């Protein structure tokens, strides 16, 4: 019985990056031996055990064989006869197919260390093409390590292209897809994730609404980068540079989907793209079963981001309607995330990344002005029910008119 550290822990140590999660593989052991040593079984599909003291996961070395469609379409075989090399060959990338024993001795049968030095994301074997989830995983690793100069090996990109064209991606569950997408959006360069998916043809299968933005022009006066798809990637890049949460990153990814519906005859204008895009945003939200906070912010940003950019021009009554739409009195954080998304949208334009965004503080001030209107005086005047609501609205409008007059004159 031999125990090896495998996968990401080995990869990140060699890269000089912090090691957070450690995966262990046990070679030459049976389920009975693991139980006898006090390990607790947890794997339903294949033998995985929890260490009796540390609680870390230890998996028996195993082989796998394709038996159906999608991520779960595999049968596994684990026995004491399965070698370390056989276990490693079923992994996705060479840089994830290295092992290390307790003496620090490296086992690297598929040249992962060489690919680390060459900054290449390369598949281990042709079996890579049997698992559609690996298309998303490789794109995610590309986003994570782009800053270190990593790229996807051409032959691996070709296999990803074949997978994208095979129909296998459609067998992925919403839950598995969302797990990879959400993790990728939180990487240092999430725009690389989307670009790699597009390069291998997976984007038009998984999120055709985003793929449709590429090649769609916008007015150069507002968008020096012109291309709507390029703009979306730039906005996503800004969300990472400014350490935005997942909700903001997801909303920014989907904010301009309506531009993909504009007839060519109307290019480069996109009249009412905000409203037209809502049905597409809703469809993407539902396809991946995104968490509710992500869904809600994406729809609100899609509908109102132009209002955010025009904040200084908005009439107090329109400003009040905007605040009401966000339920800013009970959910102030959601409005703050909207402001952040608008700012990322404004910065995601070629040559305008560093420009100031005075709309942000103006909108925050407007929200504060509306929230400071007290209810108690209105109750003391005898207002109640619907009449109280209308009176509160009038007072808030009055406060916003005063705020605008004081701020912009």
């Amino acid at each position: 019985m031999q125990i090896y550290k495998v996968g990401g822990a080995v990869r990140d140590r060699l890269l000089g990056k912090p090691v957070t999660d450690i995966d262990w593989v046990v070679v030459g052991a049976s389920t009975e031996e693991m139980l006898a040593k006090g390990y607790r079984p947890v794997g339903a599909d294949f033998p995985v055990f929890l260490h009796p003291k540390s609680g870390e996961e230890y998996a028996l070395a195993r082989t796998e064989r394709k038996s159906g469609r999608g991520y779960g379409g595999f049968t596994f075989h684990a026995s004491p006869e399965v070698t370390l090399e056989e276990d490693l060959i079923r992994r996705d990338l060479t840089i994830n197919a290295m092992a290390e024993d307790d003496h620090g001795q490296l086992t690297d049968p598929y040249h992962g260390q060489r690919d680390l030095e060459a900054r290449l994301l390369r598949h281990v074997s042709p079996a890579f093409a049997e698992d559609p989830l690996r298309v998303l995983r490789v794109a995610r690793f590309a986003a994570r390590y782009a800053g270190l100069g990593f790229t996807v090996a051409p032959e691996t990109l070709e296999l990803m292209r074949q997978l994208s064209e095979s129909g296998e991606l459609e067998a992925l569950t919403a839950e598995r897809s969302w797990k990879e997408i959400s993790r990728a959006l939180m990487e240092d360069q999430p725009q690389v994730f989307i670009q790699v998916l597009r390069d291998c043809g997976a984007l038009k299968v998984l999120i055709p609404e985003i793929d449709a933005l590429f090649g769609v022009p916008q007015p150069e006066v507002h968008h020096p980068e012109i291309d709507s798809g390029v703009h979306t990637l730039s906005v996503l890049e800004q969300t990472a540079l400014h350490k935005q949460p997942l909700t903001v990153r997801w909303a920014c990814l989907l904010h301009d989907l309506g531009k993909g519906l504009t007839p060519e005859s109307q290019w480069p204008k996109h009249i009412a793209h905000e409203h037209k895009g809502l049905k597409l945003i809703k469809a993407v939200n539902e396809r991946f079963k995104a968490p509710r906070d992500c869904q809600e912010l994406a729809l609100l940003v899609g509908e109102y981001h132009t209002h955010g950019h025009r904040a200084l021009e908005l009439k107090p009554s329109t400003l009040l309607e905007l605040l009401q739409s966000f339920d800013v009195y009970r959910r102030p954080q959601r409005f703050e995330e909207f402001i952040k998304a608008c700012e990322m949208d404004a910065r995601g334009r070629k040559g305008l990344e560093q420009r100031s965004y005075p709309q942000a503080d103006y909108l925050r001030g407007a929200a504060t002005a509306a929230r400071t209107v007290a209810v108690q005086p209105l109750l003391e005047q005898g207002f109640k029910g619907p009449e109280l609501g209308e009176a509160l609205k009038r007072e808030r409008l009055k406060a916003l008119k005063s705020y605008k007059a004081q701020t912009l004159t």
Side-chain angles (χ1 to χ4, degrees):
M1 176 173 165
Q2 292 174 289
I3 296 174
Y4 296 89
K5 193 183 292 182
V6 295
V10 180
R11 175 198 69 225
D12 288 343
R13 183 187 70 76
L14 292 171
L15 282 172
K17 296 179 74 70
V19 174
T20 48
D21 296 321
I22 299 179
D23 293 321
W24 302 93
V25 160
V26 184
V27 178
S30 65
T31 297
E32 291 72 26
E33 285 178 82
M34 297 296 283
L35 295 174
K37 289 179 180 291
Y39 287 81
R40 303 190 307 279
V42 291
D45 298 324
F46 43 81
V48 177
F49 302 84
L50 297 181
H51 191 280
K53 292 181 180 176
S54 71
E56 291 182 309
E57 289 189 358
Y58 285 67
L60 291 186
R62 62 187 186 269
T63 59
E64 62 186 33
R65 183 171 56 83
K66 184 77 168 170
S67 60
R69 290 190 78 207
Y71 166 78
F74 293 90
T75 54
F76 298 93
H77 170 67
S79 80
E81 288 73 43
V82 176
T83 66
L84 179 60
E85 288 74 12
E86 286 174 323
D87 182 90
L88 293 175
I89 200 171
R90 66 181 178 76
R91 297 173 185 269
D92 51 6
L93 298 171
T94 59
I95 65 169
N96 295 331
M98 296 179 284
E100 193 175 83
D101 64 18
D102 55 5
H103 301 296
Q105 184 70 35
L106 192 69
T107 300
D108 182 16
Y110 308 108
H111 311 297
Q113 197 166 12
R114 184 183 66 189
D115 285 340
L116 275 184
E117 291 166 2
R119 299 300 196 243
L120 275 179
L121 301 173
R122 192 198 308 275
H123 63 284
V124 177
S125 77
F128 174 94
E130 294 177 352
D131 184 355
L133 190 68
R134 287 176 169 177
V135 172
L136 289 166
R137 276 177 56 81
V138 173
R140 174 165 64 81
F141 280 121
R144 176 181 298 178
Y145 296 121
L148 295 177
F150 277 82
T151 57
V152 181
E155 61 270 33
T156 302
L157 197 65
E158 179 56 35
L159 273 185
M160 292 165 68
R161 190 174 290 114
Q162 290 173 23
L163 259 174
S164 300
E165 293 169 356
S166 70
E168 279 274 318
L169 290 178
E170 290 152 21
L172 290 174
T173 65
E175 291 77 12
R176 291 299 310 183
S177 296
W178 175 254
K179 185 177 180 180
E180 290 297 326
I181 291 169
S182 59
R183 289 177 72 184
L185 289 179
M186 293 308 293
E187 298 290 2
D188 288 343
Q189 297 200 36
Q191 77 281 4
V192 173
F193 172 73
I194 300 297
Q195 185 62 60
V196 170
L197 291 183
R198 185 163 185 264
D199 290 344
C200 71
L203 190 61
K204 66 184 176 187
V205 177
L206 295 167
I207 323 178
E209 299 86 351
I210 294 174
D211 194 64
L213 295 176
F214 290 88
V216 175
Q218 305 164 102
E220 189 173 1
V221 64
H222 300 301
H223 288 276
E225 72 287 349
I226 300 176
D227 189 288
S228 298
V230 172
H231 168 62
T232 297
L233 295 185
S234 298
V235 175
L236 204 50
E237 182 178 12
Q238 290 298 315
T239 66
L241 288 172
H242 292 272
K243 310 293 185 192
Q244 299 299 342
L246 177 62
T247 46
V248 173
R249 297 187 192 206
W250 181 244
C252 285
L253 178 64
L254 306 185
H255 79 285
D256 263 351
L257 293 188
K259 290 179 179 176
L261 297 175
T262 305
E264 286 188 35
S265 59
Q266 294 179 16
W267 288 356
K269 292 183 178 180
H270 297 280
I271 299 163
H273 77 275
E274 304 90 349
H275 181 72
K276 291 175 184 173
L278 293 181
K279 62 182 179 183
L280 300 184
I281 295 172
K282 188 176 181 183
V284 177
N285 275 335
E286 291 175 354
R287 185 179 313 142
F288 298 110
K289 296 182 180 175
R292 177 171 287 186
D293 56 348
C294 288
Q295 293 200 28
E296 289 177 351
L297 188 67
L299 286 164
L300 287 164
V301 170
E303 185 170 5
Y304 294 112
H305 63 274
T306 307
H307 275 43
H309 302 326
R310 294 180 53 245
L312 305 181
E313 308 159 28
L314 295 181
K315 295 185 294 184
S317 57
T318 308
L319 201 51
L320 180 60
E321 287 173 15
L322 178 67
L323 297 174
Q324 306 269 86
S325 298
F326 279 84
D327 192 9
V328 75
Y329 315 107
R330 290 184 300 177
R331 301 185 62 179
Q333 182 57 32
R334 185 167 66 175
F335 191 62
E336 177 60 29
E337 290 180 351
F338 165 73
I339 293 171
K340 291 291 189 185
C342 291
E343 185 173 355
M344 298 305 100
D345 181 23
R347 291 180 185 276
R349 305 171 194 224
K350 188 177 179 182
L352 302 175
E353 296 86 356
Q354 303 301 322
R355 71 170 172 180
S356 63
Y357 194 68
Q359 295 94 323
D361 283 339
Y362 181 76
L363 285 169
R364 290 186 186 105
T368 300
R371 274 200 300 268
T372 51
V373 172
V375 179
Q376 191 59 36
L378 299 175
L379 290 170
E380 290 170 359
Q381 291 174 47
F383 288 105
K384 57 186 177 182
E387 289 180 352
L388 176 62
E390 287 302 313
L392 199 52
K393 202 185 233 182
R394 284 195 300 272
E395 291 303 313
R396 285 170 175 162
L397 182 58
K398 197 184 297 181
L400 287 172
K401 284 178 179 177
S402 175
Y403 169 73
K404 180 167 186 173
Q406 291 170 9
T407 307
L408 300 182
T409 53

